[in-house]
Amino acid sequence: MDFELSEDQRMLKKMVRDFAKKEIIPIAAEIDKSGEFPWECVKKMGNLGMFGLVLPPAFGGTGPDKLSFFMALEEISAASASVALALLCSNGAARQILARGNEKQKRKYLPAMARGERLGACAVTEPSGAANWPYTLQSTARLKDGSYVINGSKCFTSNGGEAEVYVVLARTDPEKGPLGISGLIVEKDTPGFSFGRREEKLGLRGDVSRELFFDDCRVPKANFLSEGILPSVTREVAMLIMPALGAIAVGLAQASLEAATQYVKERPVAFGQMLANFDGVQSTIADIATKVEASRLLVLQAGAMSEDAADLTPGAMAGVFACEAALEVTSKALQLFGAYGYTSDFPIERYFRDARGLMIIAWPMEVRKLIIGRLKLGLPTLASPRAIEG
């Protein structure tokens, strides 16, 4: 497959790289240390049009261009994976509105989201959630007097408390099982909608995650997206979210490769020899570089695929491979630093912690592999609970 970039894509890649070096790298360590949401970076990304890359011009975007979006995520995550996740999670919500919303909903919400003026978030995960979450989802939405009344809670919601537009999955018809789960748009200031504390996480600390609480939260009927939303969610996960997480993983892995390469070329060990002169170090660098490039090619392939592509596996596989590769790459790179890699004097320990988080965030790795396996076997992606462990 030809990955020759257009002139516009090359210009975008350079613009994002320059932006990341100037605006994100100098404050990346502080974002990680404080765990605060990177609002300053988010606003600047909005001004540069990064939130509109996967939305069509009719609704304020410049796309849909997944390839450009993935390249932008890679460049941003090489500076801070947390900042990249703020961009991705908002786009995940916008894409659900694009896929399942009516014309009025799209025109009301998407232009401001495409400009980065209103952040989005997807509220799916619950404390009881696991691989069979469509069967255990507890949040409910009941139609009453022209409004949907939502009750329940969500956890580990990225952009939680910061976003203004939430796509919430709730059970509207218990008799239909997973097909009775619907999507609803809930705005931040809606009565009955509140937030819990910010989660203190090992990595991806600037990716602010909070609990969401719905206590007789009434949303207008006009905010109803659709019943039976799961096929749309699964498609967006496989086509956008999973390869986008892979793009973030590639950025982390590339940053680790560059940091390790520079370190071993400068670190003297004995008799004037540098670490780079040792066979074992050279072999490790070769392994790291190969994993980075293989991951990047898989993500680029997913980005080049048509929006209407029937085969969802390339995007899903790109996300799985790249995230697993990033964990291996950051671990090996840290080892090259020795004890110094385990300190906050170098960013490699942050890359490692963030890479570990990519194995869990959004959909756990086991669920992502389950989707791929069932797609390759020609089975429905929504398995019965008896077919799923965990």
Side-chain angles (χ1 to χ4, degrees), residues 71 321 354:
M71 288 191 300
F321 183 89
D354 287 352

Side-chain angles (χ1 to χ4, degrees), residues 5 31 37 77 107 120 175 190 192 206 208 254 330 386-387:
L5 302 181
I31 290 172
F37 189 78
S77 62
R107 296 203 175 279
E175 300 300 320
T190 303
V208 173
Q254 179 66 40
T330 55
R386 293 180 181 177

Side-chain angles (χ1 to χ4, degrees), residues 77-79 249-261 292 333 347-348 351:
S77 62
V250 172
L252 281 172
Q254 179 66 40
S256 299
L257 171 61
E258 292 175 2
T261 300
V292 172
I348 195 70
Y351 300 155

Side-chain angles (χ1 to χ4, degrees), residues 286-310:
D287 286 342
I288 290 174
T290 302
K291 285 289 176 66
V292 172
E293 192 61 23
S295 299
R296 179 177 289 117
L297 288 172
L298 282 171
V299 170
L300 288 174
Q301 176 183 253
M305 290 179 62
S306 166
E307 287 281 306
D308 300 322

Side-chain angles (χ1 to χ4, degrees), residues 143-157:
L143 185 59
K144 184 178 180 181
D145 299 329
S147 299
Y148 278 92
V149 182
I150 306 175
N151 282 287
S153 65
K154 303 291 182 179
C155 59
F156 298 112
T157 302

